[in-house]
Amino acid sequence: MRRATSLFALCAALAAAAPACADPAALRAGDRSVWARPAADAESLKFVGEDGTRTFPLFLTRAETRSRSRFHLAFTNAVSVMPEASTLTVTLDGARLAQARLAAASSPGVIDVEVPAGLLAPGLNLLKVDVVQRHRVDCSLGATYELWTKLDGAATGLTFDDPKVAGTARLDDLPTLPADARGAQRMRVVAPADADGARLDAAFRAAEAAAIRGGFAHPVVEAASAPGPFDGLEVVAGVRADLVRDFPDLALPEGDGAGVALTPTGPCGAARLVVVGSSARSLDREIASLAKPAPMAAAAAAAAPQSWPTAGGALDAGATVTLAALGVSSRETTGRMFHAGFDVQLPPDFYPADYDKLVVALDAAYAPGLGRKAQVLVRVDGRDATSLSMANPSGALFKRRELPIPLGAFEPGFNRVEIEAQAPAASDAACDVRATLKAARRFALFGTTTVALPATARIAHLPDLGATAVAMFPYQRRGGVSLVLARRDPATIGAAATFLAREATTMGRIVSASTAPAQAPTPAGDAIFFGALGELPPQVAARLGVDAAAARAAWAKARSDAAEKRAEAVAAPTDAAPADIADRWARKVDHGALGFDPLGAAWRWEDRYVGLRGADFALSRRPSPAFAPGPGQSLVLAQGQAPAGGGATWTLVTGPSAPALARDLAALTSPSLWSRVHGAIVAFDPAKRRVTEAPGTAGYFVGDPLSSVGNLRRIAAGWLSSNLDAYAFLMLVGAMALGFATSAVVRRYGVKP
């Protein structure tokens, strides 16, 4: 373990010291820094529970595949993990590369193996990590949540013996741009400090086109006023005459007209993309031609849909897809708790209400001898949606067993669906180590399980940031949006560029947007506002339900508290921290009964099986109070109707300062977090990586309800399911009308004495 610790420290130190790959001297000495990393964020690199699997795309050039290479992986795990029964297995393109025991509770574990010659292929390579974890001493269901393993993204990936292989020289090789330690593809747009809106728009569109071409899952964009050294992809776009005037030393594509040039500028894939037009219209054509996914990026969307921003479970009305097509293959487990999750992406104008059901047709099996409480749970965005008992003592095989989920459980945009099988057995009470090591299979989920989406009501109910996150709705539908930048400084420009690049990769096309003039009045129609809250027009936050004064006060207090903590950390001695505080407390907690609470039990039963809420009754709704961010929430997104009305929408993207906005938006746009953006207001805590949804201003509809009779019927049924008092009133009126009509008919035509 001492050698593993030293290897891990070496990898981490090298990765932190230089974002580039190791220099030739270091390679000859056997020291390497990982630079060909999978584009994976912190959430996707953490495995919680008894079993887990992840697939990551790795893109390589032909030169890289011909070089001798090694694979590195660094990890830590919870102290509660039993090493004798817990493993981490790595496969690359279907071939097992390495397997290690999970024994890294006190010091990090490291895998360092040579990749067999001929295994790597130019273009897409699929890296798969499977984790099996068993508890040391506790065999209860609750104890499975104590099990975790984290991969270190900074020290996981490929290195190559030949440093000359580094470099991205072809447009179709853009997907090979290495991710940084956060799993992000770093970009930088270049525009002069005095650039007008048209120059900024060209820079934004060029960065979006490059992100689409490279299929970047997590593009993070910075801004600069002039080209210079950069350890990512630098993007320069403009009319040739403007670029020659502003950047005389910049190498432009050959000739006097339009063109695109990609030039390596440093080690490990650093490159500069220059897009030139002979005129503004010519520049637009060059950018549009660039915005097409490279072949290897398109292949990744088909091979690993759950790892790809544009392919994560998009469902059309009436479609039926298998779990295998959604990235969940057949799996079985010997553990007590099984998890499998996938994303379902619904259209931005999907109307969520209980007028129909999505159906999961389950193909699964469970072994004999499970406890009476064994069950399959299906959750949508962390909320229980449906369940199925597994109480047959002889076991059972489920074949097309339907599990209906009300459409009201879903939202426009991304939805996370999780299938959890709780499979306790009587033998768990003894918790014998030998039984754990030789446990029989308890549950299997088959990839032939299908998910069927019925015809849905198509009318958008805004505000909904989820619809904007997945498809830039309603702006793309209305022909474009105005971008309002509080200041034209690098941080604010970078934040706006990151937002637009993330939207472009999700949609697969360039965002139709234009930057508002610096001194222009606040637009009354569609607009997105970027900047520090104190530098934006005050009426914007007020209209969108954000308490600007309370937000500024909260952020000022956070800065003051942070300064005090830094001072205390310097003055106070540092105590030795326990290896894992969460595990220490988890062992103290009684996972058994918490006492009988009849009222609480009744409410939980109602919440699960009935689900009535005050929001389902129009008369009980009250206007939401203005939102103020809580502790740690340093980024706020808010949406609401613009003053122009008619479906025009404002969206606010703000923070305490421009640098904080750029930093936190770069974190929020990671794939695992961006899919959680829903509702009228979203607050983000970057330290805890927690996304919180809050109510905002009154809702409004955008769309054509009369597109078809069926659509109108579904909208009406959905509206009534969300306004139960109106439904009850109509039923009462209908019953009274029927009674009066029946009375009148009986009086006139009934039998008289």
Side-chain angles (χ1 to χ4, degrees), residues 349 458-460 477 701-708 711-712 715:
D349 59 349
R458 302 298 293 271
I459 187 168
R477 177 181 181 274
F701 289 98
V702 174
D704 181 13
L706 302 178
S707 58
S708 69
N711 190 52
L712 180 61
I715 291 172

Side-chain angles (χ1 to χ4, degrees), residues 599-642:
L599 184 60
W603 276 115
R604 287 192 294 272
W605 184 92
E606 191 278 337
D607 179 69
R608 181 168 180 179
Y609 296 105
V610 182
L612 288 179
R613 286 165 181 77
D616 294 330
F617 300 88
L619 295 177
S620 67
R621 296 176 193 146
R622 298 290 182 268
S624 302
F627 172 80
Q633 295 175 340
S634 55
L635 176 65
V636 173
L637 280 67
Q639 191 175 83
Q641 192 165 26

